[in-house]
Amino acid sequence: MGEQQNWDWEVGERLVTDLAEWKKAFSDVYDEVVSPDGEKMGAIVKGEEGLTCCVNGSAWEQTYEKVYSVKFSPDNRLTAITMADDEWTTVVDGAPWEQTYEYVWNLRFAGRGGAIAVQTKGDDGYGICLDGKAWEAGFLQIRDYVLSPDGRRAACSVQTKELAEGDIFGFLEGGWSVAVDGKPWDRNFLNVWGLAFSADGAKVAAEVRLESTVYSIAVDGKPWDASYGCVWEPCFDPKNGQVLAPVKIESGWILACDGKDLWGRSFGQLWRPVFSPDGSRTAAIVSPSFGRWTMAVEGQAWNATFGDAVTDPVFSPDGRRLAAIVKDKNRWTIGVDGAAWGETFDMVWRPVFTPNAKRVLAKVERNGKFALALDGRVVSGEYDGLYDPVIGPEGDRVLVKALDGGKFYRRVLRLGDL
Amino acid sequence: MATFPEREPVEDIGLDETIKKLTPERIEKTILKVLNEESAARLKVYVNTCVHCGLCSNACHFYNSHDGDVKYAPVSKVKDTLWEMIRKKGRVDGEFIRKASRIAFTECNVCRRCSMYCPFGIDLAYLILTVRRICHLLGVVPQYLQDTVNSHAATLNQMWVKPDEWIDTLQWQEEEQLDEVVGARIPLDREGAEIMYSVIGPEPKFLPQLIGHMDQIMTVAGMSWTVPSLDGWDNSNMAMYSGDFEIMARVERKHYDKALELKVKKIVMGECGHAFRGAAYDGPKWLGWLRPPVPLIHAVEFYYDLIHSGRLKIVKKYEEPITLQDPCNIVRGKGLGNKLRYIMNATCSDFRDVEPRFEHNYCCCAGGGVINCGPPWKTTRVNGNRVKAEQFRATEAKVIVTPCHNCHSGIEDIVSNYKLDMHVKFFCEILVECIEIPESLKV
Amino acid sequence: MDLYEIVRGPLAWAALLLFVLGTAYRIVSMLIEARRDKVVYPYLSLKYGLRSLMHWLIPFGSVNMRKRPVMTVVSFAFHICLLVTPVFLLAHIILWDESWGLQWWSLPEAVTDVMSVLVVGACAFFLIRRIVAPEVQNVTFLSDYVLLAVVVLPFLTGFLAYHQLGPYRPMLILHILAGEIMLVAIPFSRLSHMFFFFFTRAYMGSEFGKVRNARDW
Ligand code: HEM
Ligand code: SF4
Ligand code: SF4
């Protein structure tokens, strides 16, 4: 992450850029994005020469035939995938990576160092390019990938064996594996999905399909002894490196830890296990009865349940509290420690806790306008656009990045004033 | 007693080779597991309640197209498969499984018309799907269908579409549309858009212009929309039909995860019926949702909303005599028959309705995974739907609108086999010819 | 106790008890097992269930009934007579009165007589249909004939006994026995459709109406 202490936390408001000015200079402006520190707005712009990116009103020098996937990295660099003369590459703050490809997609970031990765298709097949460094050997096909928390490593599900059209028996022999930094596991599976790195980046776990109807979790290519009727994405315990995954047994879904039932109880559905920051507590999204959803912490489900969905569970920094997005009867709100906020919204975004875990803040949408809600109460004005709020390192300020009447403002507010 | 011809032998390694590996123990164990553990009251009550009256027989297009050949009566298909498995307590042989698989996969579209003819409302399609589940667990599934399911498993789309091919197709279609309509961009992964648009795998593979049409429609109507660039863009689901419910669920979960991640208010899906069924009902049900976590709107309903609300203005009517296929999964499956006729009448000056229609429509005979069983079974499918050809012929129309991909392909085969001299179109192909493109959007 | 007394006394009791308990057992176990079918209860809807039942309990209320007018007429005549005759038959009411002092309105004997004939006639129709119509023949088992016999016998023997055709007392005993067999058969055979009908139809009506926004008749 960009070092938040170094950001400008002075209380006050600043006009960062006025999109109306951009629109005078360019015939088209779209896909606006905002840097995490709120100092920059970027977008794709179309000038006479072609497409390029623009930051705070000034465009990159080079233009391209195609530009997409514009995003700011966690350390505030504007990144995009571009194509010129049929050559695709990644451009970071206007500087293209040397290597070009037949195609480039799925731009991702990771780690404090601000690692940037993409998936690529080149002459020798498919691979991953991490911070400009490409995997050595190309694969027949690649699907989803993940980066290690420090951003140094990449793992991807890869096709390792050619499969002729309609070869249903070949498929059963297994032609998929996980490649870590370009090197595939020495074992193939029918399918692999849901990759995860351990906290230290040393190990990779994945959902694997052993036979047509038999699933398990593999860690560094070695499946658990136990197998199941179905499994979902595994995750690593940050404390001890053990692997957890939701698995389906006869009575329902359980949270299994290296093949054993962790919570000692099953649910109608269970997915997305998460750990508290110190690794001492686990929670997961569960369905305690058909059509109802909630969070379970250490196996204990919240009393309140929701009809449509529960997503984005977030532990407080001290691990004692848990918040999540909840949806019932097509209305959205935030659930915290078992109770939903009284008010509901057209949409809500991932909640954030203050560092002392006392308060919960979230971006919400009502009637096409966006605002901030603190502990269930709308506390900000309504804006045309609002980007993820950030609570300052001291916990007393919040950075509000808002688009209002075509102008992008950066505001730092005192939480206490809200 | 009338006698009916035996089934012609058909070769399919998905059935012929796979049964060789079956052991009696495995068959028995699998059948009992499905009957006793995976099924409950409905299966039991349906089987115990059926009074063997045969009143469901005339519901089925297979039966009607084969001049009342009894083996195609819905209840006969259940008798020849599930009843026998129950009666023998699972002690059936591989040859029996092969036949059951053939019946369940290629001679029933799980279209549920028969549930409206059986006085008890017995869900025969559900019973047939139970047979398919057993066949899947035994690995006895027609080759082409299984290959499609393998694609779902490996790529989370139906057609082995690679990730770059998908995005490339979108960008190509966007480019084409930008030549026609100002600002016709296909917004990729735009978080917070109102609508996520999802399609079925065959669109990028064979019919990319349909994505272009939707781009134009969205742009002209001024919608806030987005299309996922990564997996989750495909809403189709053949695993639902092969009995591989685990893969079915995985595909649907990805689809909804994508919508939740993109923070859209609803999903609009292209013109496909089975995909609607999987995404609206079968998938969510298996995963634990009573209804989809994000509202799912079928294209027909979406077009209706756009035309009805005036967001799209119809300035020209399609003039050729035109008729319609009611796709089972959105008409019997969602009651969209009236909205479908509304949009037909709004855009066509010579619309000739079919008989029977609405919930009583005849299935296209391609749905339910049958067309995905591939070339070996094409004859079964086409011969099984003579009544459909007769139904269309009676309208004397020149064009058939099919707002469903399975219907579209299946009816094309019927048109050519029965020499109907008609064209088959998706509704969006009619729509883009009829809408007004405002001056401000003209290139 | 002679044979008559046995069939009229303990056996009648046993039959009634088996019928009631058996029916209760079948329904309750279905209701319990329906919980494992996760969608059944969430999908059920009183409104749409009743809407569907109405269409299927009114003659010619569904498309298929209109497509098969003969079957519809016979079937409704059969079921109405089958259910009404035993309950409103004067001779039965007298028995209830003798044993329990219970009385209610009865149908004229000439009417119940015709109704019994209708039941027998309808069963003959079902039998012929089973033999002649290929789609019915194909799903006909020995048990279907046995069930038809179980249903027709009480009415046939009752008719014969009433008209004193054949030896009266044995015929009467046979009649009571046949009635008891039928009563017991209801919960333990496909005749259980008598009560399952309401559940299966209501469920399908709900699934079509509430969930899928469509009609099922
Ligand atoms: C309210 C209760 C009942 C309902 C709603 C009902 C409904 C039906 C229905 C819908 C059928 C399908 C075929 C047809 O329409 O004929 C049927 C058939 C039949 N029912 Fe019932 N039924 C009831 C009670 C009974 C009872 C109490 C019996 C005898 C104990 C009975 C005996 C039969 C027989 C024998 C058939 C078979 C016809 C054949 O062989 O094709 N039903 N019933
Ligand atoms: S094809 Fe349709 S009508 Fe025929 S048996 Fe299957 S579900 Fe019933
Ligand atoms: S109509 Fe219903 S009860 Fe009659 S044979 Fe068909 S499934 Fe069985």
Side-chain angles (χ1 to χ4, degrees):
Chain A
M1 294 295 279
E3 304 300 328
Q4 294 190 353
Q5 298 90 296
N6 303 336
W7 296 0
D8 177 3
W9 287 105
E10 200 70 44
V11 172
E13 171 183 299
R14 212 167 352 111
L15 172 68
V16 177
T17 189
D18 182 354
L19 282 173
E21 300 292 325
W22 302 33
K23 287 185 179 146
K24 280 186 215 148
F26 306 103
S27 64
D28 208 354
V29 178
Y30 58 96
D31 285 2
E32 297 87 359
V33 286
V34 161
S35 64
D37 64 4
E39 300 285 355
K40 291 184 267 186
M41 170 167 263
I44 302 176
V45 293
K46 192 173 168 195
E48 263 142 50
E49 256 113 273
L51 295 167
T52 190
C53 285
C54 176
V55 180
N56 287 358
S58 53
W60 289 349
E61 271 167 33
Q62 188 88 37
T63 59
Y64 304 92
E65 286 158 56
K66 289 208 168 106
V67 178
Y68 83 109
S69 201
V70 229
K71 292 175 192 175
F72 273 102
S73 66
D75 58 349
N76 305 302
R77 290 178 292 164
L78 188 67
T79 314
I81 297 171
T82 64
M83 185 267 272
D85 300 326
D86 274 332
E87 302 280 350
W88 289 84
T89 192
T90 311
V91 184
V92 183
D93 271 349
W97 284 354
E98 237 165 78
Q99 183 72 36
T100 61
Y101 297 92
E102 265 175 60
Y103 209 82
V104 172
W105 75 99
N106 204 356
L107 173 65
R108 292 219 178 132
F109 307 107
R112 296 184 142 256
I116 300 171
V118 289
Q119 294 187 285
T120 60
K121 181 191 185 193
D123 297 333
D124 66 338
Y126 289 91
I128 282 178
C129 184
L130 174 58
D131 279 335
K133 221 171 137 293
W135 279 5
E136 267 165 33
F139 290 93
L140 294 164
Q141 181 175 186
I142 55 176
R143 304 298 311 183
D144 210 11
Y145 78 110
V146 287
L147 296 172
S148 63
D150 64 5
R152 299 228 181 117
R153 311 185 72 194
C156 185
S157 72
V158 296
Q159 187 178 357
T160 48
K161 266 206 272 183
E162 194 97 52
L163 189 73
E165 200 180 317
D167 185 0
I168 54 175
F169 302 116
F171 179 84
L172 291 175
E173 286 163 17
W176 289 79
S177 188
V178 171
V180 184
D181 293 339
K183 206 178 147 313
W185 284 350
D186 48 22
R187 173 161 178 188
N188 285 329
F189 300 93
L190 271 66
N191 299 108
V192 298
W193 310 276
L195 280 49
F197 265 105
S198 58
D200 60 3
K203 289 195 274 182
V204 176
E207 302 167 76
V208 293
R209 191 174 180 199
L210 303 172
E211 291 168 37
S212 161
T213 58
V214 182
Y215 297 77
S216 188
I217 300 294
V219 184
D220 289 341
K222 191 179 168 311
W224 284 355
D225 293 333
S227 61
Y228 306 94
C230 197
V231 298
W232 301 131
E233 299 84 355
C235 68
F236 280 90
D237 186 330
K239 270 195 328 290
N240 55 17
Q242 279 187 324
V243 176
L244 254 60
V247 301
K248 188 168 185 283
I249 58 169
E250 225 161 84
S251 64
W253 286 85
I254 59 167
L255 187 57
C257 175
D258 286 332
K260 286 172 285 294
D261 185 353
L262 185 72
W263 285 347
R265 62 159 299 186
S266 68
F267 293 92
Q269 186 55 270
L270 188 158
W271 56 46
R272 302 273 134 66
V274 287
F275 279 94
S276 60
D278 66 356
S280 64
R281 303 176 83 204
T282 48
I285 299 168
V286 298
S287 166
S289 63
F290 181 69
R292 304 303 300 179
W293 297 85
T294 193
M295 290 300 310
V297 187
E298 297 290 303
Q300 204 59 44
W302 285 354
N303 283 334
T305 62
F306 308 93
D308 295 354
V310 172
T311 71
D312 296 81
V314 181
F315 268 106
S316 62
D318 64 5
R320 283 185 297 122
R321 306 189 69 197
L322 181 74
I325 296 176
V326 299
K327 180 173 183 240
D328 196 35
K329 301 199 172 73
N330 213 19
R331 299 290 300 164
W332 299 83
T333 193
I334 301 287
V336 189
D337 293 336
W341 284 355
E343 244 183 291
T344 63
F345 305 92
D346 298 342
M347 183 58 70
V348 298
W349 275 255
R350 194 181 175 79
V352 273
F353 278 96
T354 53
N356 65 6
K358 289 232 166 69
R359 316 193 74 179
V360 179
L361 183 74
K363 168 184 163 187
V364 300
E365 180 185 354
R366 241 183 349 202
N367 306 321
K369 295 276 194 177
F370 303 89
L372 289 179
L374 185 66
D375 295 333
R377 203 165 46 86
V378 172
V379 291
S380 75
E382 296 193 326
Y383 306 104
D384 301 335
L386 191 65
Y387 301 84
D388 296 341
V390 185
I391 293 176
E394 310 293 329
D396 59 340
R397 312 222 170 147
V398 54
L399 171 61
V400 181
K401 300 169 266 182
L403 194 63
D404 214 5
K407 296 189 173 70
F408 174 59
Y409 296 95
R410 182 186 193 279
R411 291 195 176 95
V412 176
L413 307 175
R414 253 188 214 95
L415 259 185
D417 294 346
L418 294 177
Chain B
M1 268 292 324
T3 54
F4 298 101
E6 286 289 313
R7 291 178 174 89
E8 300 280 336
V10 173
E11 279 177 27
D12 185 324
I13 56 166
L15 312 187
D16 308 340
E17 296 302 315
T18 50
I19 59 166
K20 292 183 187 156
K21 293 173 210 135
L22 296 177
T23 59
E25 298 76 42
R26 175 154 173 227
I27 296 176
E28 183 182 344
K29 213 175 121 217
T30 305
I31 292 177
L32 293 182
K33 176 176 141 83
V34 172
L35 295 182
N36 301 331
E37 290 165 31
E38 294 193 2
S39 329
R42 277 195 299 161
L43 181 100
K44 236 188 218 161
V45 171
Y46 287 153
V47 170
N48 291 333
T49 302
C50 173
V51 295
H52 307 177
C53 65
L55 291 176
C56 49
S57 53
N58 56 326
C60 188
H61 47 280
F62 275 103
Y63 174 86
N64 294 334
S65 299
H66 285 281
D67 301 313
D69 185 337
V70 294
K71 59 179 162 294
Y72 298 109
V75 61
S76 305
K77 298 178 210 176
V78 175
K79 172 197 158 203
D80 291 340
T81 56
L82 195 65
W83 288 3
E84 197 65 5
M85 294 180 188
I86 294 173
R87 199 173 65 82
K88 296 220 170 116
K89 300 198 170 59
R91 281 183 221 113
V92 294
D93 59 13
E95 206 46 59
F96 177 88
I97 294 293
R98 186 221 305 250
K99 187 178 159 207
S101 179
R102 174 175 182 166
I103 294 172
F105 283 111
T106 73
E107 295 174 4
C108 172
N109 302 94
V110 289
C111 76
R112 306 176 122 204
R113 193 174 195 260
C114 40
S115 305
M116 307 167 58
Y117 285 69
C118 166
F120 297 96
I122 290 174
D123 193 344
L124 292 130
Y126 161 76
L127 300 177
I128 291 291
L129 280 170
T130 305
V131 176
R132 291 188 184 185
R133 172 70 177 166
I134 291 168
C135 293
H136 153 69
L137 292 176
L138 292 171
V140 185
V141 176
Q143 181 197 6
Y144 282 77
L145 180 62
Q146 185 59 55
D147 188 54
T148 311
V149 176
N150 292 347
S151 169
H152 279 302
T155 68
L156 296 165
N157 71 67
Q158 200 195 119
M159 288 276 141
W160 301 100
V161 177
K162 293 177 178 170
D164 54 311
E165 294 168 348
W166 164 242
I167 309 173
D168 192 36
T169 306
L170 293 174
Q171 291 175 333
W172 162 44
Q173 283 307 312
E174 170 182 274
E175 214 168 296
E176 304 263 303
Q177 288 303 319
L178 280 170
D179 288 341
E180 306 210 358
V181 182
V182 174
R185 280 192 307 271
I186 301 183
L188 298 181
D189 306 322
R190 224 190 84 202
E191 194 212 73
E194 167 92 10
I195 292 166
M196 173 175 115
Y197 182 60
S198 62
V199 302
I200 76 167
E203 287 202 12
K205 198 88 180 173
F206 306 118
L207 295 157
Q209 70 275 19
L210 296 184
I211 300 173
H213 291 335
M214 190 49 106
D215 181 15
Q216 185 176 127
I217 290 166
M218 290 281 187
T219 309
V220 172
M223 306 312 287
S224 151
W225 69 304
T226 187
V227 179
S229 73
L230 301 173
D231 292 347
W233 55 266
D234 185 350
N235 53 34
S236 72
N237 210 327
M238 278 303 142
M240 153 176 76
Y241 288 144
S242 81
D244 192 344
F245 301 148
E246 287 77 12
I247 294 297
M248 166 191 79
R250 182 170 292 277
V251 170
E252 298 299 347
R253 179 170 175 258
K254 192 79 190 175
H255 184 227
Y256 284 114
D257 263 357
K258 204 70 216 177
L260 290 167
E261 182 192 315
L262 289 171
K263 311 223 66 87
V264 296
K265 306 286 188 323
K266 58 188 172 208
I267 298 172
V268 170
M269 53 175 295
E271 296 177 43
C272 188
H274 98 271
F276 181 80
R277 176 189 191 142
Y281 306 123
D282 296 35
K285 196 155 70 180
W286 194 96
L287 290 163
W289 276 304
L290 182 52
R291 55 183 166 269
V294 178
L296 176 78
I297 314 288
H298 188 269
V300 163
E301 196 168 0
F302 184 60
Y303 302 144
Y304 168 85
D305 288 341
L306 294 182
I307 298 174
H308 189 74
S309 66
R311 286 195 90 117
L312 284 183
K313 295 215 169 37
I314 307 299
V315 286
K316 197 176 103 201
K317 286 211 172 186
Y318 193 85
E319 281 169 7
E320 263 192 287
I322 194 162
T323 187
L324 177 69
Q325 160 69 3
D326 280 299
C328 304
N329 285 320
I330 63 165
V331 170
R332 202 150 38 246
K334 182 63 184 168
L336 291 183
N338 282 317
K339 290 187 174 171
L340 192 46
R341 278 158 184 84
Y342 178 92
I343 61 174
M344 286 301 289
N345 284 315
T347 51
C348 303
S349 56
D350 188 5
F351 168 49
R352 305 173 175 195
D353 216 333
V354 280
E355 185 60 45
R357 54 180 173 246
F358 291 106
E359 287 93 335
H360 286 273
N361 77 318
Y362 283 125
C363 174
C364 62
C365 207
V370 174
I371 195 168
N372 298 71
C373 294
W377 304 100
K378 184 174 163 188
T379 319
T380 306
R381 165 163 68 79
V382 172
N383 291 347
N385 214 0
R386 195 188 69 217
V387 289
K388 185 99 254 167
E390 288 162 0
Q391 185 188 27
F392 284 139
R393 185 173 277 132
T395 67
E396 295 183 357
K398 287 279 161 221
V399 178
I400 307 166
V401 166
T402 57
C404 165
H405 277 269
N406 285 314
C407 295
H408 191 272
S409 316
I411 287 171
E412 269 183 344
D413 291 336
I414 282 169
V415 164
S416 75
N417 187 72
Y418 295 96
K419 307 202 167 41
L420 285 183
D421 188 27
M422 294 177 173
H423 293 285
V424 187
K425 280 183 188 282
F426 287 99
F427 184 76
C428 64
E429 298 178 89
I430 306 284
L431 190 59
V432 292
E433 285 190 36
C434 302
I435 53 173
E436 174 188 58
I437 303 205
E439 279 307 317
S440 60
L441 294 184
K442 284 194 179 142
V443 174
Chain C
M1 261 201 277
D2 72 354
L3 204 51
Y4 175 77
E5 278 165 22
I6 292 175
V7 293
R8 239 215 86 180
L11 270 188
W13 270 108
L16 205 64
L17 210 65
L18 275 173
F19 169 70
V20 173
L21 292 180
T23 303
Y25 168 76
R26 293 295 301 273
I27 292 179
V28 169
S29 59
M30 173 198 70
L31 292 176
I32 290 173
E33 247 199 79
R35 279 192 303 207
R36 280 208 300 129
D37 256 326
K38 47 188 177 178
V39 289
V40 170
Y41 288 109
Y43 278 6
L44 267 182
S45 140
L46 187 66
K47 175 175 154 198
Y48 291 107
L50 289 177
R51 182 179 81 163
S52 174
L53 278 170
M54 266 214 347
H55 280 273
W56 287 93
L57 285 173
I58 292 171
F60 300 103
S62 75
V63 168
N64 204 18
M65 285 191 218
R66 295 197 283 279
K67 282 191 190 245
R68 301 169 176 268
V70 179
M71 183 65 184
T72 305
V73 169
V74 174
S75 174
F76 272 91
F78 165 77
H79 280 98
I80 292 168
C81 296
L82 175 91
L83 293 172
V84 169
T85 314
V87 180
F88 296 104
L89 186 88
L90 184 63
H92 286 179
I93 297 176
I94 293 171
L95 287 180
W96 283 99
D97 192 24
E98 278 174 6
S99 327
W100 295 80
L102 283 173
Q103 281 183 22
W104 58 86
W105 178 84
S106 68
L107 280 166
E109 296 208 305
V111 174
T112 44
D113 205 31
V114 172
M115 287 170 80
S116 306
V117 174
L118 281 178
V119 170
V120 175
C123 284
F125 174 84
F126 292 147
L127 179 68
I128 293 166
R129 197 173 161 264
R130 262 197 197 285
I131 295 165
V132 177
E135 78 275 20
V136 194
Q137 172 65 63
N138 187 49
V139 287
T140 295
F141 295 73
L142 180 61
S143 61
D144 292 289
Y145 296 118
V146 172
L147 281 184
L148 268 181
V150 166
V151 174
V152 80
L153 269 178
F155 293 86
L156 193 63
T157 51
F159 180 84
L160 293 177
Y162 172 68
H163 290 278
Q164 313 255 337
L165 297 166
Y168 176 71
R169 207 168 158 85
M171 192 60 82
L172 190 63
I173 292 172
L174 209 58
H175 170 67
I176 299 173
L177 207 57
E180 287 160 358
I181 289 173
M182 183 177 97
L183 212 55
V184 174
I186 290 176
F188 300 107
S189 73
R190 282 194 286 287
L191 296 179
S192 58
H193 74 265
M194 174 180 163
F195 42 86
F196 283 141
F197 167 83
F198 296 91
F199 293 98
T200 54
R201 192 77 255 172
Y203 174 75
M204 213 23 145
S206 303
E207 195 178 311
F208 265 71
K210 175 173 150 187
V211 184
R212 299 180 210 277
N213 188 31
R215 295 167 299 180
D216 68 330
W217 56 85

